[in-house]
Amino acid sequence: MIPFSDEELINPVKVVIDKVRPSLALDGGDIDFVTVKNGAVYVQLKGACVGCGSSGNTLKYGVERQLRMDIHPEITVINVPIGMENDIDNL
């Protein structure tokens, strides 16, 4: 169990996302923070990351790994497809 509230996680998560953003930009991609809900971090991959076959690995071994190292080892990351930002409960 993550010992932080969703609200407490927002700012540290944003810092980590800004930390990994340059790596994605090297390949023409980008990432936006959407929200934190029940300890899960919701992000949206953009640019070249959309539809890329490696986007799952990018989330798991890039973004999620960094969040787990910097914040807490139980954090998970979920990509929000474009157009689904208002329907997170159904992801």
Side-chain angles (χ1 to χ4, degrees), residues 51-73:
C52 174
S54 297
S55 63
N57 286 335
T58 297
L59 284 177
K60 181 80 175 165
Y61 301 109
V63 180
E64 187 174 273
R65 180 176 171 269
Q66 194 66 52
L67 285 165
R68 287 178 171 195
M69 287 186 333
D70 291 359
I71 301 172
H72 194 274

Side-chain angles (χ1 to χ4, degrees), residues 30-50:
D30 199 4
I31 187 169
D32 285 342
F33 170 79
V34 177
T35 193
V36 176
K37 188 168 188 173
N38 299 321
V41 176
Y42 290 82
V43 298
Q44 189 170 70
L45 293 175
K46 296 194 166 194
C49 291
V50 176

